Amino acid sequence: MRFKMTLALVACMASITTVASTLSADKTKPARLIAYSDCQPVLDVPLNELQLAAYDRLKAQQREFDKVALPLKKVDALIQSHDDEIADIRQAYANYEERENDNQRRIEAASQKLDRALAEMESELKLIDGQSDALQIAAMAFDKTIEPTLAGIDYDQVQILRENQTSRMYCDGVAENP
């Protein structure tokens, strides 16, 4: 389902956001690409103009996506509340089979409420889907520009840093400044 793919992309981009530092307003300062393997730097090179331009486009698309993705928190809470309600009803159903018809009606009613709520958010979800497509295109374009730089390098994390920015690594789920 496209909505689930969008949620997965949001999670992926949130991860990229925490790994790649936010660009400073001064575009004249050099930027560099740092690749890490097991939290140790294995490559530290400046970005060329093509890579930097693609990265700037990616970050601009990410900022736009962040703006339109705000309703996803509402959707997540909505789904969670209805998922919990449906799970509670199913548990009651398992314990009391004689209430089968009543429980089925309650499950259907909860599902219909969720469907109506999501339908009301259809335009917001379409906007998010469209922006996620633009973000994905920018990410793929940036990725293509750095592929030659990373060719033959064994790495598990990559950062893009502007001058005067501090590296922030995630090793075993913990943020570190190497």
Side-chain angles (χ1 to χ4, degrees):
M1 183 172 161
R2 186 160 173 84
F3 179 69
K4 288 182 181 178
M5 287 177 35
T6 299
L7 287 176
L9 181 60
V10 169
C12 178
M13 289 313 299
S15 174
I16 290 172
T17 301
T18 58
V19 173
S21 299
T22 305
L23 293 173
S24 67
D26 185 357
K27 303 287 187 205
T28 62
K29 293 184 178 180
R32 61 190 212 276
L33 179 146
I34 306 171
Y36 296 87
S37 179
D38 294 326
C39 295
Q40 298 300 314
V42 293
L43 177 72
D44 187 341
V45 295
L47 290 181
N48 64 37
E49 288 183 32
L50 181 65
Q51 292 168 332
L52 185 56
Y55 183 71
D56 288 343
R57 285 190 300 274
L58 169 63
K59 295 307 288 182
Q61 289 299 328
Q62 183 177 351
R63 285 189 296 274
E64 287 302 311
F65 182 84
D66 290 345
K67 288 179 194 174
V68 300
L70 290 175
L72 287 180
K73 289 183 182 180
K74 181 179 174 183
V75 170
D76 187 43
L78 184 65
I79 289 171
Q80 184 61 44
S81 70
H82 290 289
D83 280 350
D84 291 346
E85 182 179 1
I86 290 169
D88 290 345
I89 294 166
R90 284 195 173 129
Q91 181 62 42
Y93 177 77
N95 294 334
Y96 304 101
E97 288 185 15
E98 66 276 1
R99 298 179 66 192
E100 179 177 342
N101 290 337
D102 183 48
N103 286 332
Q104 187 61 36
R105 282 191 298 274
R106 290 173 60 204
I107 289 171
E108 288 173 12
S111 295
Q112 287 172 357
K113 282 194 290 187
L114 177 59
D115 288 344
R116 282 191 303 272
L118 290 174
E120 289 173 6
M121 297 182 70
E122 185 176 350
S123 64
E124 292 170 323
L125 296 175
K126 284 182 181 180
L127 182 62
I128 291 168
D129 277 344
Q131 187 58 43
S132 71
D133 290 344
L135 179 59
Q136 185 176 23
I137 290 167
M140 290 187 306
F142 174 67
D143 198 35
K144 282 186 182 261
T145 68
I146 65 171
E147 279 177 1
T149 304
L150 294 170
I153 304 292
D154 182 29
Y155 65 95
D156 50 35
Q157 293 187 54
V158 172
Q159 288 186 325
I160 306 299
L161 298 176
R162 296 267 189 200
E163 188 176 305
N164 300 325
Q165 285 183 310
T166 305
S167 176
R168 186 174 177 104
M169 291 297 308
Y170 286 85
C171 301
D172 298 322
V174 178
E176 297 181 7
N177 289 329

